[in-house]
Each structure stands twice: as structure tokens, then as C-alpha cells.
Amino acid sequence: MSRAFQPLAIPASAGIGLRSPHISEMLTRRPSAGWLEVHAENYMGDGAGVEALEKLREIYPLSVHGVGLSLGSARGLDRDHLERLRRVCERFQPDLVSEHLAWSVADGAYLNDLLPLRYDEEALAIVARNVETVQDALKRQVLIENLSAYVAFADSSMNEAEFLAALVAKTGCGLLLDVNNVQVSAHNLQYDAKAFIDALPAGAIGEIHLAGHATNQVGVDTVLIDDHGSRVPPVVWALYEHAITRLGPRPTLIEWDTDVPVLDVLLGEAMWADMLTASIMFGRKQAARQAVAAKPRPVSPTPFENVRTSMPVLAAFAAAKAGPVMANALTPMKGRYDVAA
């Protein structure tokens, strides 16, 4: 049975992915966390986990992250799955809903992976149609996440960032910028990670993900694997700093799905994200203050400074009030002023 929750706006701070080992501790400790994100597919039925999330939803803002819609499927969406997602959103009233720019269904079979698309006009039309179907069903904007990639289609006519920007323009969807995915894909496919972020429409980015990745050696090549199984590495923190410097604060999630640590480790990673954002924004304010202080201040002109006159203004005003007698008396003063001028 669905419950009506008062929507809580996701703050532009760091939250954590809610994982089953931490649910009981979250309920008892109620630690300081900006918000929580759950995978939609884990809450499409009933049970203790669903009941616990209903309680946590009353304490923390919530984001629902889908992994099974397969937005890149040319045959359209699984309507049963979409209906289950709609019920999850109706039940928990999340502040954000997101999915991946990927496909994972073929001939009715679900694949245990998120696979990349060919980025061209034909694929754009398919994904746009599917995104519009989702947004119409949920009656809300959906954020679309960039993918971790290990291969790319040689005949793509645009890159992923261009594809996402075009998708936003066509559907009005938002974007979920996964910074770790950008780093993984940029390394594996050899492109500029910062340029990828800069190419995205900044106003559409409603959420950011941070996570760790694994490093594998394949012959002489190093391949990064998006496993969400470790702390956020320095290279991803640096890319996050670039993103926040460009975008300003955004709701930021710490993802950790394999080798899940104790809760305090996740909360500590979220704290680092908040501290880095605060440091960037403080530095921006300081730079703005210093720029204002260094700028020469114009000297305010005195009244009537630029008015051209042949005699002092006050003397002329007095002469006008006093009549001919005073005007005759001021003639010598006028002469001395003309000489001085």
C-alpha cells in the first residue's frame, strides 16, 4: 500500500548509497547523512527492507536509481518493469529518479550488464522515445547517467557527451554525472575527461556520483574497471574538483557496491566530498573579494564638477536673487574668477 510522504528536496551535499548491511544501523543511529540513494529493483516487492526504507524516507531525502529499464532497447521498454518502477516512486516519493544511458535487454532476456550504445541520430531517436515514455509514466523528470565504457562503436557519429546534450534538448531530461565513469571511460577509450564534463549542459546536471574502480593489466595495457569496490581514488577526486569548480555544488553520492565496508567509511567519504566542495566555494568567494578589493575605485565627482560656467555657481545664484545691485557688485569677482579659470 502506498504512503504519502512530504517531499524532501535533495540538498547540494553528499549522500550515500543505502546497502542492506547498513539498514539496521541507519535506523538505530540515524547518522548525519545528506541523503540516501537506493536501487529501484531492490524495492519492487515487499519485505523487511521495504518497511525499513519507508521509515528511513521519513528521516532522509531519497533518490531512486534504476538499473534495469534498458533505455537503449530498440523494441521499447518492458512495460511491466516500468510499472513496477512507477509503483516504487509512488510509494516512496523520491526527490530524484535516475537511470543509465545503456541497454541490457535482448529478446526478453535481461543481461547482467549495462552495455554501450552507438551514438548516432537513430539511437538518439530510440533513447529519446524511451526516456519520454518513462517521464510520462512517472510524471517527473528523470536523470540519465553516463556509462562506464570499455569498447566503443567505430561508426558513431557523435561522442557520448554530445549524445547526452542532444537527449536533454529533445526530452527535457536531466543528467546524472558519474565522475568515476567519466574517468574509467576516458582512460579506456583515450579521451579527455575534463573536456567530457565541460561539454555537458551544466544546468541539466542534477546529481553526481563518486566511486572507486579497479585497475587491471591486459598485456601491456592498463584497463580500469568500474567495480564500486573501494574508496574514491585521487584521480577521481581531482576530476570531481574540476566538476564542482565548473558547476557549483550538486547533490553528490558515494557509491559502494562490492566489498561493502562499515557504514562509517561511507560517511567519511561523503564528509570528504562536502569538505572539498566547501573549500572550492570558499576559495571562489575569497577570489571574488580580492578581485573587488584590487579594482581601482573611481573617485566620485563633486556636484556640478563638469558644468562649464564663467563665474562661480553660488555667486551667480546669489546675483540672480539679489537683482541688479548685487549683480553689479559681483562684477569684479567674476573677472578674478575668469582669470583664475
Side-chain angles (χ1 to χ4, degrees):
M1 182 176 180
S2 65
R3 296 180 57 188
F5 293 99
Q6 182 67 32
L8 300 173
I10 295 283
S13 60
I16 61 171
L18 181 65
R19 301 296 177 257
S20 55
H22 303 144
I23 290 176
S24 177
E25 189 175 0
M26 289 294 298
L27 284 169
T28 55
R29 277 180 56 188
R30 298 189 177 187
S32 177
W35 50 285
L36 303 178
E37 184 165 277
V38 298
H39 287 163
E41 287 73 14
N42 292 335
Y43 294 89
M44 288 181 170
D46 290 305
V50 172
E51 294 175 3
L53 185 60
E54 287 184 330
K55 295 176 183 178
L56 288 170
R57 175 63 178 114
E58 296 174 341
I59 305 168
Y60 300 98
L62 181 67
S63 173
V64 165
H65 189 48
V67 297
L69 271 179
S70 190
L71 293 175
S73 293
R75 293 187 179 183
L77 302 176
D78 181 331
R79 295 292 177 149
D80 292 336
H81 188 91
L82 178 57
E83 174 60 18
R84 289 190 289 269
L85 176 62
R86 188 195 65 76
R87 290 176 182 174
V88 168
C89 293
E90 181 182 13
R91 183 170 196 166
F92 297 106
Q93 293 296 305
D95 300 289
L96 295 176
V97 177
S98 55
E99 249 292 353
H100 298 82
L101 181 64
W103 66 276
S104 55
V105 178
D107 295 328
Y110 276 82
L111 308 174
N112 190 27
D113 208 343
L114 298 167
L115 300 173
L117 306 172
R118 185 180 69 242
Y119 299 125
D120 59 15
E121 292 295 334
E122 182 181 1
L124 178 61
I126 292 169
V127 176
R129 182 180 66 242
N130 289 339
V131 168
E132 288 172 344
T133 299
V134 175
Q135 294 187 142
D136 288 344
L138 302 185
K139 295 180 172 56
R140 62 161 71 224
Q141 183 189 58
V142 175
L143 308 182
I144 308 303
E145 179 181 347
N146 57 289
L147 197 63
S148 290
Y150 309 94
V151 294
F153 288 88
D155 56 349
S156 289
S157 60
M158 61 184 88
N159 60 41
E160 186 184 16
E162 292 169 337
F163 190 95
L164 286 167
L167 186 64
V168 169
K170 274 183 171 290
T171 67
C173 69
L175 298 179
L176 193 170
L177 171 60
D178 191 312
V179 175
N180 181 62
N181 288 0
V182 174
Q183 178 59 33
V184 168
S185 299
H187 173 87
N188 292 339
L189 304 182
Q190 295 297 296
Y191 63 76
D192 188 328
K194 291 181 179 179
F196 179 98
I197 292 174
D198 293 345
L200 297 174
I205 298 174
E207 183 181 341
I208 292 176
H209 277 184
L210 295 174
H213 55 255
T215 302
N216 285 10
Q217 285 298 130
V218 181
V220 297
D221 296 323
T222 300
V223 179
L224 302 186
I225 306 296
D226 179 32
D227 67 347
H228 296 179
S230 57
R231 292 180 183 271
V232 180
V235 66
V236 175
W237 281 123
L239 197 55
Y240 179 63
E241 180 180 8
H242 175 80
I244 294 299
T245 300
R246 175 177 181 254
L247 304 172
R250 291 291 193 277
T252 298
L253 182 82
I254 302 299
E255 283 191 299
W256 205 314
D257 296 308
T258 61
D259 296 326
V260 177
V262 296
L263 178 59
D264 284 340
V265 173
L266 269 69
L267 295 172
E269 293 288 276
M271 178 193 70
W272 282 116
D274 282 336
M275 290 177 64
L276 178 55
T277 298
S279 175
I280 292 167
M281 300 313 296
F282 178 77
R284 180 179 294 181
K285 289 180 181 179
Q286 287 293 92
R289 290 194 187 101
Q290 291 171 2
V292 170
K295 186 177 180 180
R297 295 186 178 182
V299 179
S300 299
T302 57
F304 307 105
E305 179 178 306
N306 297 322
V307 176
R308 301 288 298 177
T309 181
S310 60
M311 63 184 301
V313 172
L314 291 179
F317 180 72
K321 290 188 67 177
V325 175
M326 191 58 158
N328 293 335
L330 289 174
T331 299
M333 181 186 296
K334 174 184 179 301
R336 290 195 298 272
Y337 178 78
D338 289 340
V339 171

